[in-house]
Amino acid sequence: MQIAMINDRVIPYEQLEPAYLDRGLYFGDGVYEVLRSYNGKIFALDEHMNRFSHSLAAIGIETVDVNDIRDHVLDAFKKSEIRNARIYFHITRGSSSRSHSWPDDIKPNFFMTITQLEDSGKVKANGIAVSTYPDLRWKRCDIKSLNLLANVLAYQDAKKKGCDESILVNDAGFITEGSSSSFFAIINGSLRTTPLTSNILPSITRGYVLKAAQSIGVPFEEKSITTEQAKSADELFIAVTTKDIVPIVKFDDVSISDGRPGKITARLIEQFKQYT
Ligand code: PDD
């Protein structure tokens, strides 16, 4: 008899629900997106759907019509009636008995949640403390994959240290990005951020930050910075869909400038509001 055990419950293997055979669970074999709405309107929907398409193609899930997903998102968002929502969805390759390769006829699984977004006003006003952690991830961080163990361990380390984000540092000593955010510094009046390669996620918010910088006349350079450069930067901040721009006031126990959110960061936050 083939059996399965779920916590303390033993059942015949054949009675396992497909959710327990999901390759997302076994292998992190799937991709996801996180979007948000501002006051009843979804922000940057097209950009998120394009990135999702890229992620699906990159792992060879070919049977999903992204326009259908877009329709699901719009319908469910309307139904939810949440004005400031976090919209999370993923597609996994599908459910089948555990084997590293997948059967030809496997059908992708779709899952979505739409939940109330917590207010980020306080962290935006006060800034956050961050700590560094080695970037232990794979070489295709441009794919928004469900494999997030390295990100999870990094973030948990930051939380343990009383920080609000973990900043990932590669073997050469350069900052790549946050565990779930992109990373920026202001050095001598210029904005600096990691260039887009397969080592980081092409963050949608990052694109809008650079657009904001251009609009308000802040020069920017896509060039990686070291942790030492970060500690002596004039200003630091992270950017992520759920909170847009959040100032960093402490980096590995070192106060950034006077330990308060920076002036250029504040101007970028103001400009960002034009887009949302
Ligand atoms: N994280 N870098 C990483 C590794 C991320 O996981 C994220 C987003 C970002 C910012 O991307 P965007 O601007 O498109 O939100 C950068 C999402 C929110 C998450 O995993 O929950």
Side-chain angles (χ1 to χ4, degrees), residues 32-35 48 51 86 88 137 141 144 148 151 168 177-183 200-207 239-242:
Y32 76 106
E33 271 302 325
V34 180
L35 295 83
H48 283 278
R51 185 172 66 187
R86 174 205 305 263
Y88 169 89
R137 300 174 301 165
C141 297
K144 205 160 168 60
L148 290 174
N151 309 58
L168 306 178
E177 59 184 333
S179 72
S180 68
S181 60
S182 51
F183 179 81
I200 64 166
L201 184 77
S203 150
I204 309 298
T205 321
R206 176 188 185 281
V240 55
T241 291
T242 45

Side-chain angles (χ1 to χ4, degrees), residues 95-167:
S95 301
S96 65
S97 58
R98 186 180 182 279
S99 159
H100 283 58
S101 70
W102 58 86
D104 288 341
D105 60 351
I106 195 163
K107 285 196 183 56
N109 289 325
F110 174 68
F111 176 76
M112 172 162 57
T113 56
I114 300 186
T115 53
Q116 181 68 48
L117 201 56
E118 58 282 8
D119 180 47
S120 58
K122 204 169 147 207
V123 284
K124 288 168 82 85
N126 299 341
I128 58 168
V130 301
S131 53
T132 54
Y133 196 80
D135 191 342
L136 304 174
R137 300 174 301 165
W138 70 331
K139 294 175 183 169
R140 288 303 306 275
C141 297
D142 56 317
I143 302 170
K144 205 160 168 60
S145 135
L146 291 175
N147 274 288
L148 290 174
L149 193 52
N151 309 58
V152 164
L153 295 177
Y155 188 64
Q156 192 64 23
D157 174 77
K159 280 282 154 192
K160 217 169 60 194
K161 292 171 175 160
C163 294
D164 288 312
E165 175 58 308
S166 179
I167 303 302

Side-chain angles (χ1 to χ4, degrees), residues 8-24:
D8 54 3
R9 188 162 59 94
V10 176
I11 58 167
Y13 178 84
E14 290 70 24
Q15 285 177 18
L16 265 183
E17 286 170 37
Y20 288 111
L21 298 173
D22 194 314
R23 292 179 60 90

